[in-house]
Amino acid sequence: MEVRNGYKKRLWTVDEDRILTEYVQLQGKGKWNRLARERGLRRCGKSCRLRWMNYLSPSVKHGDFSEEEDDLIIRLHNLLGNRWSLIAGRVPGRTDNQVKNRWNTHLSKKLGVSQPKGPKCKVSATSSRFSRHLEHSFNTPSSSNVKPPPSSTDGTIGYNVLGGGSDDNAFEELTMSDCYQNLAFLFSGDDPDLYAMNNLLEFQDG
DNA sequence: AATGTACACAACCGCAACACG
DNA sequence: ACGTGTTGCGGTTGTGTACAT
């Protein structure tokens, strides 16, 4: 087994889980590096954080995905691309890792979607940053990642500019009905990313 | 029963952004 | 303004297991 940076890649033991859980119950989340040092865990802080967020946290739902969850993920992915944390935020009890795994192992095959290749089309993480990204992208048509909006002569009103990476799928066209279908159930929330997307679609439409 | 293979999921990595002194 | 430590993200890879041969 490979050992890097003094840490092994291995599954968490019951004891390690217990130590981590006790620490979070006492000290709260955060300071993951300190936890690893103080409790003598041979894990890096990032590993501790991931274990808590993806598995030990009481808010994490375990077990099979329901059809409703699958459907939600598919629709969100259609709209947002590989923005797993944002998608996971709208699938109650599921983490970004779970959603990502679900997509990669089940849903992409089910839909016959090829895995993205080539240069990544990574969008900044936070909502506000993403909103700025969208704004910037459409103010600067020469941007390497985002094509300028085409003229709307074919019923296309929006583009999935957040796509998973390859040029082939990064700008998947969304028809009017696609967009409305996707957006209708999403805009009950107040996510600024989706608000930005809504503005984009209005811009396209107008 | 032993071995090989495919699949699902857990865990790690690199990077970028953020927080704070 | 800068440096350092921390957090969060998406992509990738290792591990365990079910199934086939």
Side-chain angles (χ1 to χ4, degrees):
Chain A
M1 187 182 288
E2 187 182 4
V3 178
R4 246 184 283 184
N5 302 325
Y7 299 99
K8 291 179 182 178
K9 176 161 185 169
R10 57 189 167 86
L11 298 180
W12 280 70
T13 66
V14 175
D15 272 353
E16 288 174 321
D17 281 349
R18 182 180 48 77
I19 291 169
L20 179 53
T21 303
E22 282 174 1
Y23 184 90
V24 173
Q25 282 167 353
L26 283 172
Q27 309 288 337
K29 289 185 279 185
K31 307 294 177 190
W32 301 108
N33 280 320
R34 212 175 94 189
L35 151 66
R37 278 196 307 271
E38 287 182 6
R39 301 301 169 104
L41 281 175
R42 283 182 58 80
R43 303 278 184 178
C44 63
K46 286 171 72 170
S47 185
C48 295
R49 175 190 160 272
L50 206 67
R51 181 64 177 171
W52 175 260
M53 303 294 240
N54 284 336
Y55 197 82
L56 296 175
S57 170
S59 62
V60 174
K61 191 158 112 188
H62 300 283
D64 292 342
F65 280 72
S66 66
E67 275 188 35
E68 288 76 19
E69 286 175 317
D70 282 349
D71 182 58
L72 185 57
I73 291 168
I74 290 166
R75 293 165 70 170
L76 285 164
H77 186 271
N78 186 45
L79 181 67
L80 300 168
N82 293 2
R83 301 191 65 227
W84 305 116
S85 63
L86 192 56
I87 294 172
R90 291 181 176 269
V91 184
R94 301 299 186 178
T95 70
D96 55 350
N97 212 31
Q98 284 178 310
V99 169
K100 181 171 55 184
N101 282 332
R102 184 65 181 172
W103 176 265
N104 287 334
T105 58
H106 292 90
L107 302 180
S108 63
K109 289 172 190 167
K110 182 177 164 185
L111 298 176
V113 177
S114 59
Q115 294 300 312
K117 293 170 194 160
K120 295 172 187 174
C121 180
K122 192 169 178 176
V123 178
S124 300
T126 67
S127 296
S128 58
R129 288 204 305 279
F130 171 58
S131 300
R132 286 198 299 274
H133 173 82
L134 271 183
E135 187 183 347
H136 173 75
S137 297
F138 283 93
N139 284 331
T140 54
S142 60
S143 162
S144 60
N145 282 341
V146 180
K147 295 172 184 173
S151 59
S152 180
T153 58
D154 56 356
T156 300
I157 64 163
Y159 279 74
N160 180 10
V161 297
L162 315 170
S166 76
D167 286 344
D168 290 337
N169 66 11
F171 305 102
E172 176 187 0
E173 295 183 9
L174 300 174
T175 65
M176 177 76 84
S177 96
D178 287 335
C179 288
Y180 282 162
Q181 234 184 359
N182 284 324
L183 293 170
F185 79 106
L186 284 170
F187 279 99
S188 53
D190 57 355
D191 193 307
D193 284 5
L194 297 172
Y195 180 78
M197 179 62 87
N198 191 32
N199 286 339
L200 164 64
L201 294 171
E202 283 176 358
F203 168 78
Q204 290 278 306
D205 209 17

